[in-house]
Amino acid sequence: MAHVIFRSATRADVPAILELLTDDEIARSREADAAPPPAGGAGAEATGGLTPEAVDAAAWAAFEAIDADPRNELIVADEDGTVVGTCQLTFIPSLSRRGAERMTIEAVRVRGDLRGRGIGRAMMVWSLERARERGCGLAQLTTDKRRTDAHRFYASLGFEASHLGFKLAL
Amino acid sequence: MAHVIFRSATRADVPAILELLTDDEIARSREADAAPPPAGGAGAEATGGLTPEAVDAAAWAAFEAIDADPRNELIVADEDGTVVGTCQLTFIPSLSRRGAERMTIEAVRVRGDLRGRGIGRAMMVWSLERARERGCGLAQLTTDKRRTDAHRFYASLGFEASHLGFKLAL
C-alpha cells in the first residue's frame, strides 16, 4: 500500500484495466453478476498478458467516451507504475437535493493476488473524497446480494444497504 | 392512460417535475429514502402550486446540466399537456460488455392521485425501449428495501433483484 496512488486512467492503462475486468468475468461465470470482494476472497490472479493490440475497437471507443465526458472518471490504483485496481465514477446531475450531483461507483476491481492489503479501501476513501470535492450529496453503488464480504466492506466505509438493486439485461 | 405520451422535459416542465420530487420528499420523511410505489400506495397528491418564480437557481442549473448532457435524459409522462410522471435516464459508458452503455434509472415518480393506472409501467417500458435503441446492454435501478410493491412492479417488468444498493450521504 505504501506506494499506491489513485489517478485518472490514460490510454496506456486500458489493457491492464480490461484484464482486471476480465478477471471478474471469470468470477462472474462462477458466481453470477457480482463485484469481487475488495479484500480477501478467491479472485483469479491477473494473467499479465493483454497487449494493446489485443484491445478491440469497442473498448478503445468506450475509453475515449469516458475520457471525454466530464461526468465520468475511470480511476486506477497505481502501485509503482503497475495498475492494481480500478473503478469508474459517474457524476449524475439531479433536480432534487438542490441540484447536487450524486456519484455512482461501478466496476470496482482489485487485482486478485493483491486483495486484503487495503487497496480497495483506500480507493473507495479516495473516491468519496473526490465526490465531496465536487459537492456531491450522495454516493451509491450496488453489489451482488451474495457477496457478504463486500457488504461488510461497504458498511465499514459508512454505506447503508438501504436499497435493492434491480438489473435487467437488454 | 389513453393520452399519455413520454418525452424529454423542457424548461417549462421543471416546476411540475419539482412538485413530483417534493411530493416524494414528504413520503421520504415518513418512510426514509424510498422511491414511491409506481402503482397504488398512499402518495401525497400534487399541490399544483409551484410557479416558475419559486424554482431556485440550483434547480434551473441542474436542469440545464441534464439538458445539455447527451448521457442524461429527464423524461416526463405528459397527459394532455399535464406532467403526471417523471424519471431520469443516465447512460453510462463502460469498458466491459464490449463497450456497451448501461442505463441507470433514477427519480421515478408518478403523481400520487394518478397511481394504479399504468402510467409508471408505460414509462418504464418506454425507457427500456429507449435503452435498446441506444444499444445499452443493461438497465439498472435501486429502490428502498421496504417498498415491496415497487419490488413486485420491477420484477414484473423483468428486472431481477440480484443486488444490494448501498448509499452514503456526503
Side-chain angles (χ1 to χ4, degrees), chain A residues 2-122:
Chain A
H3 302 98
V4 176
I5 62 160
F6 304 98
R7 59 172 175 77
S8 288
T10 67
R11 279 183 70 89
D13 299 316
V14 170
I17 294 167
L18 286 172
E19 279 196 86
L20 290 172
L21 297 174
T22 305
D23 247 18
D24 191 52
E25 298 299 324
I26 297 167
R28 192 172 288 166
S29 71
R30 291 197 309 268
E31 300 189 44
D33 183 27
E45 291 188 20
T47 56
L50 193 60
T51 63
E53 294 72 26
V55 174
D56 71 20
W60 286 122
F63 172 76
E64 299 297 342
I66 295 167
D67 194 46
D69 188 333
R71 292 200 179 90
N72 273 281
E73 298 182 1
L74 186 61
I75 304 302
V76 291
D78 174 331
E79 185 175 49
D80 297 327
T82 300
V83 171
V84 296
T86 184
C87 64
Q88 183 173 343
L89 310 179
T90 303
F91 303 97
I92 302 180
S94 171
L95 282 187
S96 54
R97 300 170 182 273
R98 290 190 58 86
E101 290 177 327
R102 58 173 67 196
M103 179 173 78
T104 296
I105 309 171
E106 299 269 8
V108 179
R109 302 285 187 276
V110 172
R111 215 174 77 186
D113 58 331
L114 298 177
R115 290 180 192 150
R117 293 173 49 200
I119 295 170
R121 176 170 301 274

Side-chain angles (χ1 to χ4, degrees), chain B residues 79-159:
Chain B
E79 185 175 48
D80 298 326
T82 300
V83 171
V84 296
T86 184
C87 65
Q88 183 173 343
L89 310 179
T90 303
F91 303 96
I92 302 180
S94 170
L95 282 187
S96 55
R97 301 171 182 271
R98 290 192 55 86
E101 290 177 328
R102 59 173 67 197
M103 179 173 78
T104 296
I105 309 171
E106 299 270 8
V108 180
R109 303 286 186 277
V110 172
R111 215 175 77 188
D113 58 331
L114 298 177
R115 291 180 192 149
R117 293 174 50 201
I119 295 170
R121 176 171 301 274
M123 187 164 66
M124 287 299 99
V125 168
W126 185 91
S127 297
L128 294 173
E129 184 55 31
R130 184 78 196 86
R132 290 190 187 93
E133 281 172 10
R134 279 184 75 114
C136 291
L138 185 77
Q140 62 185 17
L141 58 87
T142 67
T143 187
D144 192 280
K145 276 181 173 177
R146 293 163 296 179
R147 289 282 190 184
T148 52
D149 46 1
H151 304 167
R152 281 192 298 273
F153 171 72
Y154 290 117
S156 76
L157 284 159
F159 283 89

